[in-house]
Amino acid sequence: MDITHIISLIGGLGMFLFGMKMMGESLELVAGSKLRGLLEKLTSNPLLGVLVGVVVTGAIQSSSATTVMVVGFLNAGLLKLEQAVYVIMGANIGTTVTSFLIGLKISYLAPIAIFIGVFMMMVFKRKMVQQVGAVIIGFGLLFTGMDTMSSAMAPLKDVPEFAELMVKFSNPVLGILAGAVLTAVIQSSSASVGIVQAMAASGVVDLGGVIFILFGQNIGTCATALLASIGTNRAGKRAAVIHLLFNIIGTLIFIPVTLLLPYVPFIESLTSDPKMQISIAHIIFNVVSTLIMLPFAQLLVKLASRLVPGKETDYEEMRLHFLDERILQTPPIAVAQVLKEVERMARIASRNFSLAVQVFFKPDKEIRQQILQNEQVLNFLNHTITGYLVKIHALDLTEEDNRLIGSLFHVVNDLERVGDHAENILEYSSHFENGLPFSENAKNELRDMCGRVQKIIDESITFFMGCKPDKDAANTIAEQEEEIDGLVLTLRSHHVARLNKLECSPEVGMIFVDILTDLERVSDHATNIMYAVYDRDRVDRIG
């Protein structure tokens, strides 16, 4: 094997890995909304969880990436560990898609695929068509790289030292260790299995010589998730441990099967193609392991909980509930999750306004402290969510998601301002230790005004969470905001009349005017939230 073959091998490997990455990332973008829907509808149903794992991993071509995603979802509170275990099992089956495609004798289509993909990306302007073109290019590069690697490795058949090395890997311990290390370095079992398939296609190895390497590759793929779990909560760490346990137990099951039964001859009897033999062995390992361990999934959860001991604490308010850095690897899901976090912020803002009004009319030290803590949370969420929005905005998004992210910048700011005005209202109450020194008419006017503002906040948030333009609902909100503006003028005139009649002091009267200003501003910010949705969906703005 001379320098030319080594260069070809390196180039082929690079092309193969790049093609796999390009195909997986582009598939993820093409199927992004469907992936998001699958994850949002996930339940504790075992078969549904497995199916989600299969489909998501089949799309992004990496069980490691799916497991990392699951770790992120657990850390963000999107999934429960009892659900995640089934997704992880399904991910191991989904990762066999790439090896099966490689096992098919369709490499002659690679040049045609690259041409079609390039043509689609250069001629068509629609982003979706270009993404499909990128999938096709990745498909072609993957097979071109595979053929290049196979040709470059063919001379290894005549190298005695290489033959002796491969004999050593037929030892279960050495073979599993080699497969685990190879996959941990590449961080993709699909890619490492593809490399072994390329070796088999060149004739330098057979299934019997690499079967234990295949088992080790399933263990090595856990390294990525284990690294990703560092710094997560206990649920995230336990998910990574479940992934590792699943593959270790599967390997322990298949070692005696391979040594004591004619397992390798059986697979070789199914097809004479060495690439497909390896693919079938990979598929059988993952499917059978899943079928065996599916009934014991919750035992895996308990075992992982013992290995990662401790009670999972409830989420504290001063943290993100739905966002995690790992989710940024999947743009459509990142968009869905940031929307959930903004919805959470909206509920806190609405609740804080309601509590501030309650304390204004009836002082309560405990509720006052709760409002101040919530205000800190709102400030934290405003800063942190905005940072995530900047990161998500830089990702490759659909046009609809781009508009959504653009509108969320404004929504988050408006919600933070609602919190500020609620804090102002709380501050006014601190001037009155013995109750409000307002006339009954003034109190009734303020109660009515606060109720109207609370209503417009809640309706605007409901409108925002629906994410769909409803012209009747939008008109209702806009009309309520105009009524509040008019009512502010009316109440100010009533207040001037009471001052003239000496029914209240000027000092107290200033607070009355100030709270009216805050209430009017809150209704303005609430209406802005409604318009953010209305503008985002490109519906004619209300006249």
Side-chain angles (χ1 to χ4, degrees), residues 86 187 258 338 429 442:
Y86 301 116
Q187 297 201 5
T258 304
V338 77
S429 67

Side-chain angles (χ1 to χ4, degrees), residues 352-361 368 371 418-432 436 450 453 511 514-520 522:
N352 233 31
F353 176 81
S354 175
L355 291 175
V357 170
Q358 180 180 335
V359 171
F360 180 80
F361 287 102
R368 171 184 291 275
I371 294 169
V418 169
D420 289 343
H421 290 296
E423 188 177 21
N424 290 345
I425 294 172
L426 177 69
E427 181 62 26
Y428 301 143
S429 67
S430 64
H431 295 285
F432 315 123
L436 289 178
C450 289
V453 174
I511 291 177
D514 288 341
I515 192 173
L516 284 180
T517 300
D518 280 293
L519 292 172
E520 182 182 21
V522 170

Side-chain angles (χ1 to χ4, degrees), residues 135-336:
V135 173
I136 298 173
I137 292 174
F139 177 84
L141 290 176
L142 185 151
F143 280 95
T144 301
M146 172 68 66
D147 284 349
T148 303
M149 281 194 297
S150 298
S151 301
M153 285 188 286
L156 288 174
K157 290 185 294 184
D158 304 321
V159 178
E161 293 80 6
F162 184 80
E164 292 175 8
L165 179 64
M166 296 312 300
V167 169
K168 291 181 180 179
F169 288 150
S170 62
N171 176 289
V173 176
L174 293 179
I176 291 170
L177 182 61
V181 171
L182 173 65
T183 308
V185 171
I186 298 177
Q187 297 201 5
S188 171
S189 61
S190 297
S192 63
V193 171
I195 292 171
V196 173
Q197 286 178 293
M199 295 170 64
S202 66
V204 298
V205 297
D206 58 17
L207 180 61
V210 298
I211 187 68
F212 294 111
I213 293 178
L214 288 177
F215 298 160
Q217 287 169 331
N218 287 280
I219 296 175
T221 193
C222 303
T224 309
L226 288 170
L227 290 173
S229 69
I230 297 173
T232 64
N233 57 26
R234 287 186 180 88
K237 291 181 174 66
R238 288 168 181 168
V241 170
I242 286 173
H243 191 211
L244 180 62
L245 288 173
F246 178 88
N247 286 295
I248 289 177
I249 294 171
T251 298
L252 293 175
I253 292 172
F254 272 83
I255 288 176
V257 169
T258 304
L259 295 175
L260 303 176
L261 298 176
Y263 177 60
V264 172
F266 166 70
I267 295 177
E268 290 175 338
S269 69
L270 298 177
T271 176
S272 59
D273 184 354
K275 290 190 298 184
M276 186 55 76
Q277 290 173 359
I278 290 173
S279 174
I280 292 173
H282 192 214
I283 292 170
I284 290 176
F285 176 92
N286 287 288
V287 172
V288 172
S289 295
T290 299
L291 292 176
I292 291 174
M293 283 181 271
L294 188 60
F296 307 103
Q298 297 312 311
L299 289 179
L300 281 178
V301 173
K302 291 180 180 179
L303 181 56
S305 298
R306 289 194 174 187
L307 293 174
V308 184
K311 184 178 180 181
E312 191 64 54
T313 57
D314 294 333
Y315 287 111
E316 298 176 4
E317 280 290 288
M318 191 65 74
R319 62 170 291 173
L320 297 170
H321 282 197
F322 302 101
L323 289 174
D324 185 280
E325 287 286 343
R326 299 162 189 81
I327 297 175
L328 294 174
Q329 298 176 18
T330 313
I333 296 171
V335 172

Side-chain angles (χ1 to χ4, degrees), residues 403-424:
R403 292 203 306 272
L404 169 59
I405 295 301
S407 68
L408 290 183
F409 280 103
H410 302 289
V411 171
V412 168
N413 182 66
D414 281 307
L415 291 172
E416 194 272 336
R417 295 296 295 138
V418 169
D420 289 343
H421 290 296
E423 188 177 21
N424 290 345

